Amino acid sequence: MSPNYQVAGIGNAIVDVLSHSDDSFLDIMGIEKGIMQLVERERAEVLYAAMDERRQAPGGSVANTLAGLGHLGLKTAFMGRVHADALGAYYARALAEGGTDFVNPPVPNGELPTSRSMIFVSPDGERSMNTYLGISAELGPEDVPDAVAGASEILFLEGYLFDKDKGKEAFLKAARLCKASGGRAGIALSDPFCVDRHRADFRTLVSEEMDYVIGNVHEWCSLYETEDLERALAHAAVDCGLVVCTRSGDDVILIRGAERVEVPVHRVTPVDATGAGDQFAAGFLYGLSTGRDLETCGRMGVICAGEVIGHMGPRPQTDTYDLFRQAGLV
């Protein structure tokens, strides 16, 4: 039997709330520019009330990647946790309307509200994210349906969820189910601070469970406790079959065994950098899923990242498959 899903993912189910702001507003509100910070429920309510002309969208890193893959025509599924509140119902509905199966019903009488991230976008395209994790961070192995994880060609995991023991259990369960049925499992490292907190467990996951890993310079260097990227990547290549390193405007490095390619990035001033890494992953995974060579996988990722930074929001608005066609990749 062929797998039901070409790509399935596990991630934080977060409603993104976006608004434009200038640097003086960020200063007044005590928001550190250009980073993602976690906030408590009360702070989340204050920031939400202060937002001008809010736009709402289903978000979360892996969910954004799956939306990009669905946009490219792949069959995708998302495993995540939302409360049965208004935002949770919106999230589940919006994900399904975008073409991704949301396989977990909203939790009635959930212990926490649905997660949301208040994203303030500066005139230079930098985004300052203030995330209230809510119920999504409570995801555990019971949220991983055997029939989904075991029926997926590619599994994609979100490093943020590695912060809790039950998240780690969910990842191991999903990866082993996927691989037992002939699939490939991988992770985006997501955040150097998360890597710092769980380095030993991440190293074990990368070396023993993952077929591919995507990270940026800071995440790879954190994982291997070095400031020398080449040293970090040499370690990574020993531990993992397929290593991808993004470098924020510089060439993307992809390593598989003895093969190494560097894919150039076209520098542009972003309208909104939200989702660049998520859509890079979408293009890369599309290439991987459809059997492209390593350079093509990287070029597809770069094209998808370039498309998404040209407009507000973390998901594609133009036909990315047509962009692949224009680049001679399909």
Side-chain angles (χ1 to χ4, degrees), residues 8-31:
I10 303 178
N12 278 308
I14 299 174
V15 177
D16 285 341
V17 188
L18 295 107
S19 173
H20 282 292
S21 67
D22 57 23
D23 290 357
S24 61
F25 173 86
L26 299 181
D27 290 341
I28 290 165
M29 297 303 293
I31 296 168

Side-chain angles (χ1 to χ4, degrees), residues 17 19 25 29-31 37 39-52 54 118 120 129-131:
V17 188
S19 173
F25 173 86
M29 297 303 293
I31 296 168
Q37 44 198 344
V39 297
E40 298 301 320
R41 188 171 178 176
E42 295 75 14
R43 170 76 166 159
E45 289 168 355
V46 168
L47 292 177
Y48 183 84
M51 298 184 92
D52 227 8
R54 294 184 291 254
M118 279 64 64
F120 298 90
M129 305 173 71
N130 301 265
T131 302

Side-chain angles (χ1 to χ4, degrees), residues 146-327:
D146 292 17
V148 176
S152 304
E153 294 175 10
I154 292 176
L155 178 71
F156 187 44
L157 307 173
E158 182 175 320
Y160 289 126
L161 278 172
F162 210 60
D163 245 346
K164 294 195 174 184
D165 286 344
K166 54 188 172 183
K168 294 175 184 177
E169 291 170 21
F171 280 11
L172 289 176
K173 176 185 175 182
R176 289 168 182 173
L177 284 166
C178 176
K179 294 176 74 162
S181 62
R184 290 174 285 182
I187 192 169
L189 295 175
S190 296
D191 178 71
F193 303 110
C194 188
V195 172
D196 282 340
R197 288 192 293 273
H198 305 280
R199 184 175 290 107
D201 285 343
F202 263 117
R203 293 271 287 269
T204 300
L205 186 77
V206 167
S207 63
E208 296 181 7
E209 307 287 348
M210 297 292 100
D211 298 298
Y212 66 92
V213 180
I214 303 172
N216 64 26
V217 175
H218 308 295
E219 291 153 5
W220 283 118
C221 287
S222 172
L223 187 63
Y224 292 102
E225 296 182 274
T226 177
E227 293 182 8
D228 182 338
L229 176 62
E230 288 302 325
R231 180 177 293 175
L233 293 178
H235 280 294
V238 171
D239 283 351
C240 183
L242 176 49
V243 172
V244 181
C245 180
T246 59
R247 297 192 293 166
S248 191
D250 288 326
D251 293 4
V252 176
I253 301 169
L254 302 96
I255 304 169
R256 180 166 53 196
E259 182 185 6
R260 173 177 171 139
V261 299
E262 297 191 17
V263 177
V265 171
H266 301 292
R267 285 179 172 271
V268 295
T269 302
V271 172
D272 171 18
T274 310
D278 304 339
Q279 294 312 320
F280 171 85
F284 166 76
L285 290 174
Y286 180 84
L288 199 63
S289 174
T290 55
R292 270 35 184 224
D293 62 44
L294 210 51
E295 182 178 356
T296 302
C297 291
R299 289 181 64 194
M300 286 176 163
V302 166
I303 286 170
C304 288
E307 187 279 335
V308 81
I309 65 174
H311 57 74
M312 279 281 283
R315 299 186 174 190
Q317 291 181 0
T318 55
D319 184 343
T320 42
Y321 189 84
D322 190 54
L323 296 178
F324 293 167
R325 186 184 293 114
Q326 292 173 36

